[in-house]
Amino acid sequence: LLCTWFLSIIQNEFRSGKINLDITMKLFDKLQIRYDYVHLKHVFKKTTEKRKAPTINIEDFRAIYRTLVHRPEFHELFCTYAPNQKVLAETELITFLKKEQFETEANETTALEIISKYEPIEEMKKRREMSFEGFVRYLNSEDCLIFRKDHKIVYQDMTRPLCEYFISSSHNTYLISDQLIGPSHLWGYASALLKGCRCLEIDCWDGSNNDPVVYHGHTLTSKISFSSVIQVIDKYAFAASEYPVVLSLENHCSPKQQEVMADYLENILGNKLLSSAINDEVPTELPSPEALKFKILIKNKKVGTLEETILRKGEDSHGETGEILEEAEDDEEGDEKNPASPLIELPKRKCESESTAPPRKKPKMKKIKVAIELSDLVIYTKSQKFESFEQSRESQKCYENNSIGETRARKLAKQSAQQFIAHTARFITRIYPKGTRTNSSNYNPQEFWNVGCQMVALNFQTPGVPMELQNGKFLDNGGCGYILKPEFLRNLNSTFSPYKVAGETTPVALSIRLISGHQLPPSNLSKGNKADPLVHIEIYGVPEDQMKKQSSVVKGNALSPRWNETFTFTVQVPELALIRFNVEDQVSIAGNEFLGQYTLPVRSLSKG
């Protein structure tokens, strides 16, 4: 049956006897087999070199197909459950699903669904059996990904207050390169939104002809118009997720141009813009992502209270301004935003906590003018300067949010982790990179997720471990950009600290068998398709869970390296842990070359 099926699909192409690389690739597509071009080309070339001709015959094609598709580790597994080593009957498939895939509920229906979906030979389907060809397609399918299928959809409770979620957040979203001379581009917004980002940053400055512009102020980064940014956001806001988008405005505009901004926001975004409180009520807690579906929220400085905004509803406040008193050096991203004016802090002695530190010298104050029209668009995300945990606990309202620079936030997390967690259980807290990161580098977001910070803003344009952790974390919950924080980071009376986790959580024993790789990217140093791959398995989470283990090196094989090594981990706080598989090519003793990586939450690992 296998031979008949295989020939029926490929024989047409061999009517003239032989085929070239292009037709070989088309046949792989026709057989619904994914392949890597470099590896297919290399195996094809080796075959033609033996033949001393640029084409191959039907037997050569079968050999190439077997090399790329019939992986020995798949065949060993198949033969373990197929008594005649030819086919898996539905009962044998059920045994495989229960034993290997830990699908304890697997039954006849499950098996028949898999056969119907992946078995390419019609005759086999009718017999309710699976051939090795079907088994290969099943093991290579989405149903066998390491990421749990039930986490690919929104499965968490989305009716909790906004402050109870981690929110995918971007820093200086308009920049697509460095922070000083690189371009500002609309693609920064489109690409972040398409990745499920839910909090975007817009730096607004007065432009010519009374038209506000977006760029990194006091630098040579290029300028784009505010209106074009809002148009792109309007187009892509809900392409990847239906949950609310927060526009974090860093506003340097005159009141006149702030009114222009308010006009653009209202006219372009229309009813997507959240411009009044739900039911015109002052909340005692923030609304939920569910209640704010398909809404865009404005995060900005606000004059007065939400009560006053509600009372003003329907009035024409054109031309009206209010004043906000703040430190002369401060703006939304105060202390660390501007590399030209760093805030120098004297080191504290170890025994001093944030609350016992000597008071800072009284800063110079300045008055900021805010247009009421723009101020009244700020509803649940009012930017409020962070003074101290005590001050916030006493006087901060639930709809007031803080932005804290990474250096200060890191110090607070280490010195007062429990106070920080109590703060983020009540208020949305945004962390942003320090101003000296002019090359758009990123900090490790994990240390701020560990204390419950909701908006840990990263430079999305910069690849590397921090963005890989970000992308991996937010694969969870259907990639919707909102992840419900663990209970111990939401509970107002939590005693959890990431630095002392014993007794606070339930640890998980994790065992990973690294079996093999397939069609890995070849080494840059290889003329063919070779590499010397090794795998790092890394855990990111609370300090006690940070761990890295390394496999052996498989020499000269990027096509089908086999390891068969088992690694065990004890993860103390699985709710916060991410696991990263990092594949490298061993180039020399001095260093390795990155080949690829995959990061996902430990809780989203699929067994089997």
Side-chain angles (χ1 to χ4, degrees):
L1 266 178
L2 266 174
C3 284
T4 316
W5 163 79
F6 195 71
L7 282 171
S8 72
I9 289 179
I10 67 169
Q11 63 192 5
N12 232 2
E13 273 72 11
F14 284 97
R15 272 177 314 189
S16 58
K18 294 188 175 181
I19 62 168
N20 61 15
L21 178 60
D22 273 353
I23 294 170
T24 302
M25 282 155 55
K26 282 180 183 145
L27 275 180
F28 267 80
D29 291 334
K30 199 172 172 184
L31 287 155
Q32 295 179 309
I33 294 293
R34 286 190 302 195
Y35 61 87
D36 177 86
Y37 172 72
V38 174
H39 286 290
L40 179 57
K41 182 183 169 187
H42 181 79
V43 177
F44 183 90
K45 201 170 153 198
K46 270 175 81 174
T47 311
T48 56
E49 278 167 3
K50 278 184 208 155
R51 291 234 169 265
K52 297 192 167 66
T55 53
I56 59 167
N57 64 26
I58 202 160
E59 278 313 308
D60 297 330
F61 180 79
R62 288 178 99 141
I64 291 171
Y65 181 83
R66 279 196 205 103
T67 302
L68 285 174
V69 179
H70 289 188
R71 296 164 66 174
E73 63 271 36
F74 283 10
H75 200 251
E76 288 157 24
L77 196 55
F78 182 76
C79 292
T80 307
Y81 292 90
N84 61 0
Q85 306 200 341
K86 293 273 195 300
V87 294
L88 275 178
E90 74 180 55
T91 49
E92 289 139 19
L93 181 55
I94 293 168
T95 310
F96 165 79
L97 292 171
K98 285 183 172 175
K99 274 195 174 174
E100 298 289 341
Q101 304 298 63
F102 298 91
E103 289 187 26
T104 48
E105 306 290 306
N107 56 24
E108 194 181 304
T109 312
T110 325
L112 290 177
E113 275 174 7
I114 289 171
I115 291 169
S116 155
K117 195 170 174 185
Y118 298 110
E119 178 51 59
I121 304 168
E122 282 305 319
E123 193 59 35
M124 287 284 192
K125 280 187 190 176
K126 284 177 192 159
R127 292 184 192 175
R128 309 174 94 165
E129 292 175 338
M130 185 176 243
S131 67
F132 181 53
E133 289 293 338
F135 190 67
V136 164
R137 281 158 179 75
Y138 167 62
L139 284 186
N140 278 326
S141 76
E142 288 214 328
D143 282 344
C144 288
L145 285 181
I146 195 166
F147 190 86
R148 277 176 65 160
K149 238 189 336 192
D150 55 344
H151 285 197
K152 288 182 142 188
I153 54 166
V154 175
Y155 67 94
Q156 295 176 345
D157 180 359
M158 300 304 281
T159 63
R160 306 296 308 154
L162 276 181
C163 58
E164 294 194 13
Y165 297 83
F166 293 118
I167 303 169
S168 177
S169 303
S170 148
H171 171 252
N172 285 2
T173 317
Y174 49 89
L175 294 178
I176 55 168
S177 181
D178 65 78
Q179 305 279 313
L180 295 178
I181 57 172
S184 302
H185 203 285
L186 295 172
W187 176 242
Y189 290 97
S191 67
L193 287 166
L194 290 170
K195 284 179 191 161
C197 181
R198 300 287 85 190
C199 177
L200 311 170
E201 187 176 13
I202 312 178
D203 279 19
C204 315
W205 298 78
D206 279 358
S208 52
N209 304 321
N210 201 31
D211 202 20
V213 291
V214 174
Y215 83 114
H216 197 191
H218 310 300
T219 69
L220 299 175
T221 55
S222 63
K223 298 173 182 176
I224 47 181
S225 73
F226 179 78
S227 61
S228 65
V229 167
I230 303 307
Q231 280 163 347
V232 166
I233 291 168
D234 178 57
K235 185 176 177 183
Y236 292 102
F238 303 108
S241 166
E242 52 195 19
Y243 291 102
V245 170
V246 178
L247 305 185
S248 184
L249 303 184
E250 174 142 345
N251 187 357
H252 303 272
C253 290
S254 60
K256 197 178 173 193
Q257 293 209 14
Q258 287 177 39
E259 289 193 339
V260 176
M261 286 166 61
D263 279 347
Y264 281 138
L265 290 167
E266 290 179 303
N267 295 330
I268 296 168
L269 300 178
N271 60 9
K272 289 181 194 149
L273 180 70
L274 185 87
S275 53
S276 58
I278 295 169
N279 300 328
D280 289 331
E281 288 169 0
V282 178
T284 50
E285 63 174 23
L286 286 170
S288 68
E290 188 64 35
L292 295 169
K293 259 185 179 174
F294 299 111
K295 287 293 180 190
I296 295 174
L297 282 64
I298 305 303
K299 179 177 179 298
N300 189 43
K301 293 189 175 76
K302 183 174 181 65
V303 178
T305 63
L306 190 52
E307 289 93 324
E308 289 162 5
T309 297
I310 292 167
L311 289 171
R312 262 197 303 270
K313 195 176 176 181
E315 291 176 16
D316 180 14
S317 47
H318 190 69
E320 285 180 36
T321 60
E323 284 184 343
I324 296 170
L325 202 63
E326 66 170 35
E327 290 178 30
E329 273 305 311
D330 180 48
D331 60 28
E332 156 71 337
E333 292 205 350
D335 318 339
E336 299 178 39
K337 175 79 175 192
N338 189 348
S341 57
L343 185 84
I344 296 163
E345 284 190 36
L346 295 170
K348 293 174 186 166
R349 288 197 299 280
K350 276 220 168 85
C351 62
E352 291 172 353
S353 76
E354 190 222 13
S355 48
T356 58
R360 279 160 62 178
K361 215 168 92 180
K362 211 167 182 192
K364 279 187 186 153
M365 303 304 279
K366 64 172 179 182
K367 287 176 182 172
I368 303 275
K369 285 195 168 172
V370 179
I372 297 296
E373 280 190 359
L374 183 61
S375 171
D376 280 353
L377 295 181
V378 177
I379 310 297
Y380 298 121
T381 41
K382 174 185 175 181
S383 299
Q384 185 67 27
K385 179 158 176 65
F386 176 75
E387 299 292 347
S388 69
F389 293 135
E390 289 80 359
Q391 196 259 350
S392 291
R393 201 164 49 244
E394 282 160 24
S395 58
Q396 194 164 321
K397 296 184 167 68
C398 69
Y399 58 82
E400 294 177 330
N401 325 143
N402 309 118
S403 280
I404 310 175
E406 66 166 292
T407 310
R408 188 178 182 196
R410 189 171 292 119
K411 205 178 283 182
L412 291 172
K414 283 184 177 147
Q415 290 172 353
S416 334
Q418 284 183 331
Q419 278 187 284
F420 211 148
I421 289 165
H423 179 83
T424 57
R426 291 175 174 86
F427 310 112
I428 292 178
T429 303
R430 180 173 172 272
I431 309 297
Y432 58 89
K434 58 188 177 187
T436 50
R437 293 185 182 274
T438 52
N439 61 348
S440 297
S441 64
N442 281 314
Y443 51 80
N444 177 356
Q446 186 68 49
E447 57 186 320
F448 303 116
W449 291 327
N450 287 346
V451 288
C453 296
Q454 295 85 348
M455 296 178 170
V456 180
L458 295 178
N459 293 305
F460 269 47
Q461 73 274 33
T462 308
V465 175
M467 269 312 291
E468 286 157 9
L469 298 179
Q470 155 79 22
N471 292 337
K473 185 175 187 71
F474 285 98
L475 284 174
D476 198 1
N477 204 25
C480 75
Y482 284 83
I483 292 167
L484 188 64
K485 296 198 284 184
E487 203 277 334
F488 55 77
L489 292 179
R490 299 187 280 131
N491 180 352
L492 297 179
N493 304 312
S494 176
T495 54
F496 175 80
S497 163
Y499 302 102
K500 198 167 87 288
V501 295
E504 289 284 339
T505 55
T506 311
V508 160
L510 181 61
S511 170
I512 290 183
R513 185 155 71 97
L514 174 66
I515 303 167
S516 61
H518 194 233
Q519 302 190 63
L520 300 177
S523 166
N524 279 337
L525 303 175
S526 166
K527 288 193 176 76
N529 69 334
K530 294 203 169 12
D532 297 342
L534 65 129
V535 181
H536 296 284
I537 301 179
E538 302 160 3
I539 305 282
Y540 291 84
V542 298
E544 210 175 310
D545 284 337
Q546 298 282 1
M547 210 181 300
K548 185 188 279 195
K549 296 191 178 184
Q550 183 184 317
S551 74
S552 57
V553 178
V554 177
K555 289 285 180 190
N557 188 347
L559 174 63
S560 53
R562 291 282 296 267
W563 285 279
N564 276 327
E565 294 175 38
T566 301
F567 301 87
T568 54
F569 301 88
T570 301
V571 184
Q572 297 297 331
V573 189
E575 298 89 341
L576 289 172
L578 297 169
I579 184 163
R580 179 173 182 260
F581 298 90
N582 179 31
V583 187
E584 293 182 341
D585 173 37
Q586 190 182 55
V587 179
S588 66
I589 299 163
N592 299 333
E593 181 195 331
F594 173 78
L595 293 181
Q597 69 83 40
Y598 185 65
T599 305
L600 73 161
V602 164
R603 280 283 174 89
S604 297
L605 281 168
S606 212
K607 288 181 184 177

